[in-house]
Amino acid sequence: GKLAVKSAVGTGKLAVGTGKLAAKTVYGTTKAAVGTGKYVAKGTLTAGKMAGQAVIAPIKKRKPPKSEPKAKKLQGTKARLELSKKTMKKIEKIEKQKNLSFLAGELCAPEQSCRIASRVLSRMSCVPYKSSEWKRFNDVLVSQVAHEAEQDRWFLEGTAVQLGVSPEPESKTRGKLIHESLGARCLWESHWREEWLGIYDTCVSIYAPSTKSPCLEIALIDIRTVRPLDAGTVSPLPGFHLLVVETAWICHYVAFRDEDSRDAFGKVLQEAVDKHIKSAEENAFLLRKARFWQGFQTLSNSSLSTSAGKWAKVSCGSKALKERSVLNGRRMAFDIDLKGLSFGADGIAFVEEILSKSLSFNLRMLEEEPDSFVEFLDLTSRLRLIPLDEIDISSKHAFCLFANIYHCLLQHAMLLSMNGPLDKKNMNNFMRTSCYEIGNDVFSLAELYCCVLRGKMSRPSNLKPPYPEVPKKSSTFRHYALEFKDPRMNFILSTGDSSCPRSIPVLKPHDMEQQLSLASSIFLRKELYVDARTNSVILPKVCEVYKNDFGGDSNSCLRCCLEEVDEETAATIRTMMSAGSVSIRFQHTADNYHSYLQLRGAVGESSHSLRLQRSISQDSTVY
């Protein structure tokens, strides 16, 4: 039966029962309720003797349940997504075992979504056909794929009205509208946007959907070539017809619905360009040269290439994130000429050619021969085709390859420095935002220097500009860390400051040992100072920053440098060491920076190179 205990104290009431315990104490107009579990335990509730008081004793903790309560079963889309997550984990194990493609650079949100879909499809191709994992993936994929809708058939058809824009048929700056069409412009390889394109008397005006002003205007005087592109099997948009509009700094790719629309637009545009240049006559060449740098300034505001939006922003020490400046984005990967592109046992042969060409430029030459620099930009686009997964990171070839790419990027970025001459304030931004796309990944100067070339070397101490430092998110780039370890690499890798030689060698695997020794001799002849009167030696600053590479202390640094200096200097230092203790100090951090680099001679010209380097850098030596 039920046990009920009722007790009345003053004007209050107390009720206790099995199954549920309820206590009510009424005092004046105040009410309180207390509920406990199933049983009435000892001392659970104690009623005081004073009217209107109730004392509640502590409740004992129960034993935790043996198992968690069963979750509700997911249904519909949620169930399929949960199933796909489990399947993805299984396929990730297969992916790790097969060592499939790795990506160190962080992508922007739209590109991440595209890569996820692409990875799902590529993973499905790696799973055994008709297996349980394959069936699960196939079911999820079928559930997400939609049939073609009526709106899909409207793609690249119609006029400006259908796209929600109202361009002016005539204006003072652009002239009259000659021809118009709808096209999909390439923002980067996997991202194309439907836009309205209008050819005016002086420019090509491009409007994004539902906008009031053009998102891009290309002056006719800046257009070098208009050509159709048959990308074949590597076309990013199969079934659509591509047109390339080339300018000095970048190639614009536009996809049209059919071949007739592409050819009609290309023909009218070429005629408009020819007519505009003919009207300028003798001033056309000078005008193009003058607009060469103006075009660069325009692109610098959008991070120098369309590929910049593909990658996430990077931290440069301040709260605001900075866009990556991808400097080798003039051509897309599907438009790169493969002629002369060879991959051999000595690494990527064309990288040596690119570095040699880059080191032949200076600021004066860029102004006088802009066409030569455009050819160089096309060569750098080839770096996108390097198969990173095929490079043996434990070989000397890999060090030569990445060191040459690093110096090529350094020269390229110094020539096009957007923030003016380099100094301590902008050096960090410069090293972290100046990038090349290599293979399917992106590398900044800082990431190449710290994570790839020095990836397996010791940690620096007291790191300050010009010596680069990478943000924490860039630690993924240590996946490409080279196995090559030699303290002499500190003398051959330039950071662009005046303590480093202006001349840069093109590293070759069969000559690398001699090149390292020569580079060390040139560097130490300029930066190592011996004072026999005070019995002191001043070592380069790089020896202090990376002293752990040389042994960890000042004496170890001196012994390593002693092996690379000339015989006369080495004899002087040994005499000082035999006479007593030597005072070892380090150079101050360089305050000056080079505006460009230049090519160093061959190994056989070592003596001439030493004299040349000493004469070039004598005015910028810092003791």
Side-chain angles (χ1 to χ4, degrees):
K2 293 182 179 180
L3 173 64
V5 180
K6 296 182 179 180
S7 174
V9 182
T11 58
K13 292 183 179 181
L14 179 65
V16 180
T18 58
K20 290 184 179 180
L21 173 67
K24 296 182 180 179
T25 303
V26 180
Y27 183 78
T29 57
T30 305
K31 294 182 179 180
V34 180
T36 65
K38 183 177 180 181
Y39 302 100
V40 181
K42 294 181 180 180
T44 302
L45 183 66
T46 304
K49 295 182 180 180
M50 296 179 65
Q53 289 185 348
V55 181
I56 302 174
I59 300 175
K60 294 181 179 180
K61 293 183 179 180
R62 295 184 178 182
K63 294 181 180 180
K66 295 181 179 180
S67 60
E68 294 292 332
K70 294 183 179 179
K72 293 182 179 180
K73 292 184 178 180
L74 298 175
Q75 297 179 354
T77 306
K78 290 185 177 180
R80 291 194 296 269
L81 292 175
E82 188 67 24
L83 186 63
S84 66
K85 289 180 181 178
K86 294 180 180 179
T87 308
M88 290 284 281
K89 289 181 179 179
K90 292 182 179 180
I91 295 189
E92 281 178 0
K93 294 181 180 179
I94 300 175
E95 188 178 38
K96 290 179 180 179
Q97 292 174 357
K98 295 194 175 184
N99 192 24
L100 299 180
S101 60
F102 174 83
L103 189 68
E106 184 182 3
L107 296 165
C108 66
E111 183 65 12
Q112 285 181 14
S113 302
C114 180
R115 289 289 181 101
I116 289 172
S118 178
R119 286 175 65 186
V120 168
L121 295 174
S122 64
R123 287 174 177 181
M124 286 184 66
S125 64
C126 300
V127 175
Y129 182 62
K130 295 295 184 181
S131 63
S132 59
E133 288 81 6
W134 183 90
K135 290 179 180 178
R136 287 182 179 180
F137 251 126
N138 192 56
D139 293 341
V140 173
L141 186 63
V142 170
S143 67
Q144 299 298 321
V145 174
H147 294 285
E148 185 180 17
E150 181 65 25
Q151 291 84 349
D152 296 326
R153 300 188 182 96
W154 299 345
F155 184 62
L156 298 183
E157 289 189 354
T159 60
V161 176
Q162 282 74 26
L163 209 59
V165 299
S166 54
E168 297 177 348
E170 184 177 359
S171 68
K172 294 181 180 180
T173 56
R174 303 173 196 160
K176 292 184 179 180
L177 179 64
I178 303 173
H179 185 78
E180 65 175 307
S181 179
L182 294 187
R185 186 168 60 93
C186 178
L187 303 183
W188 60 86
E189 285 94 335
S190 59
H191 199 78
W192 299 65
R193 183 172 65 190
E194 187 179 23
E195 297 173 335
W196 179 88
L197 299 94
I199 303 175
Y200 289 85
D201 290 333
T202 60
C203 67
V204 177
S205 187
I206 302 175
Y207 283 74
S210 304
T211 56
K212 296 181 180 180
S213 58
C215 62
L216 176 67
E217 285 192 346
I218 308 172
L220 297 183
I221 193 66
D222 293 337
I223 297 177
R224 293 171 168 252
T225 307
V226 180
R227 57 183 173 87
L229 175 64
D230 183 14
T233 57
V234 297
S235 174
L237 291 179
F240 293 90
H241 301 269
L242 305 181
L243 184 73
V244 185
V245 180
E246 288 194 25
T247 63
W249 294 98
I250 195 169
C251 295
H252 301 276
Y253 301 89
V254 183
F256 292 86
R257 183 77 178 184
D258 51 55
E259 189 174 359
D260 293 338
S261 301
R262 180 196 66 183
D263 294 344
F265 187 89
K267 181 180 179 181
V268 174
L269 179 57
Q270 187 63 60
E271 291 175 352
V273 171
D274 295 339
K275 181 180 178 181
H276 187 71
I277 293 176
K278 188 177 181 180
S279 63
E281 295 180 351
E282 297 179 357
N283 297 327
F285 178 73
L286 296 176
L287 184 59
R288 273 192 169 179
K289 285 181 63 176
R291 289 187 57 84
F292 179 76
W293 289 106
Q294 185 177 352
F296 163 71
Q297 186 62 36
T298 302
L299 281 175
S300 66
N301 296 330
S302 59
S303 294
L304 288 174
S305 84
T306 53
S307 297
K310 172 181 176 181
W311 303 100
K313 295 181 179 181
V314 294
S315 171
C316 295
S318 58
K319 293 183 179 180
L321 300 178
K322 302 290 185 180
E323 289 277 6
R324 288 181 181 265
S325 299
V326 183
L327 302 182
N328 64 332
R330 185 176 187 270
R331 289 178 182 264
M332 292 296 168
F334 54 82
D335 186 33
I336 295 175
D337 184 13
L338 300 179
K339 185 179 180 181
L341 195 62
S342 61
F343 304 93
D346 293 340
I348 314 301
F350 71 91
V351 172
E352 298 176 5
E353 177 188 353
I354 296 175
L355 177 58
S356 299
K357 193 171 185 64
S358 70
L359 295 175
S360 66
F361 293 111
N362 53 44
L363 299 178
R364 179 185 57 81
M365 187 176 179
L366 287 183
E367 295 178 359
E368 295 179 355
E369 301 180 18
D371 291 342
S372 180
F373 194 74
V374 172
E375 294 177 5
F376 164 71
L377 294 177
D378 284 343
L379 288 176
T380 59
S381 299
R382 294 185 172 192
L383 296 174
R384 296 179 169 200
L385 301 181
I386 293 180
L388 292 174
D389 54 342
E390 296 180 10
I391 297 174
D392 182 10
I393 60 175
S394 63
S395 65
K396 293 182 178 180
H397 307 307
F399 177 79
C400 293
L401 170 68
F402 281 103
N404 288 337
I405 292 177
Y406 167 78
H407 284 134
C408 181
L409 175 57
L410 180 62
Q411 168 76 336
H412 193 163
M414 290 172 70
L415 290 171
L416 305 181
S417 180
M418 294 177 291
N419 299 320
L422 296 180
D423 55 35
K424 289 183 178 180
K425 294 182 179 179
N426 61 21
M427 190 63 182
N428 200 30
N429 291 358
F430 174 82
M431 297 296 282
R432 292 190 182 186
T433 59
S434 302
C435 304
Y436 270 166
E437 279 192 3
I438 306 172
N440 292 322
D441 222 325
V442 64
F443 296 82
S444 68
L445 282 168
E447 287 156 352
L448 283 171
Y449 187 93
C450 300
C451 301
V452 180
L453 294 166
R454 289 190 46 83
K456 295 295 180 68
M457 300 291 283
S458 63
R459 290 182 176 274
S461 59
N462 194 23
L463 198 61
K464 294 180 180 179
Y467 305 103
E469 185 179 10
V470 293
K472 293 181 179 179
K473 285 189 176 181
S474 295
S475 59
T476 53
F477 286 88
R478 297 190 184 276
H479 172 81
Y480 301 106
L482 304 181
E483 299 289 344
F484 180 77
K485 298 179 183 180
D486 193 319
R488 292 178 297 174
M489 75 165 59
N490 295 304
F491 302 137
I492 203 170
L493 295 178
S494 175
T495 52
D497 61 290
S498 57
S499 67
C500 299
R502 187 189 292 271
S503 61
I504 301 295
V506 177
L507 292 181
K508 299 181 179 181
H510 57 276
D511 290 333
M512 193 179 73
E513 187 64 29
Q514 294 89 332
Q515 287 177 316
L516 284 172
S517 297
L518 174 60
S520 301
S521 300
I522 294 174
F523 188 91
L524 293 173
R525 172 166 292 206
K526 176 177 175 293
E527 288 296 307
L528 187 142
Y529 177 73
V530 179
D531 190 350
R533 293 176 301 173
T534 60
N535 208 39
S536 62
V537 177
I538 301 179
L539 298 179
K541 183 66 177 179
V542 69
C543 294
E544 181 183 19
V545 176
Y546 301 110
K547 64 170 60 177
N548 293 325
D549 292 347
F550 300 93
D553 55 26
S554 301
N555 291 324
S556 300
C557 293
L558 180 59
R559 284 193 293 270
C560 289
C561 294
L562 196 60
E563 299 176 1
E564 304 299 333
V565 297
D566 58 88
E567 295 180 1
E568 182 181 354
T569 305
T572 304
I573 295 175
R574 289 192 182 97
T575 303
M576 293 166 52
M577 294 174 68
S578 61
S581 60
V582 179
S583 174
I584 302 175
R585 292 179 293 162
F586 295 94
Q587 298 271 20
H588 297 294
T589 303
D591 294 326
N592 302 321
Y593 293 82
H594 300 302
S595 57
Y596 65 93
L597 305 174
Q598 63 185 23
L599 182 64
R600 183 177 299 172
V603 176
E605 305 172 3
S606 58
S607 59
H608 173 70
S609 298
L610 285 170
R611 293 193 300 270
L612 178 63
Q613 181 63 29
R614 190 175 186 180
S615 63
I616 289 174
S617 57
Q618 188 175 5
D619 57 341
S620 59
T621 303
V622 181
Y623 293 119

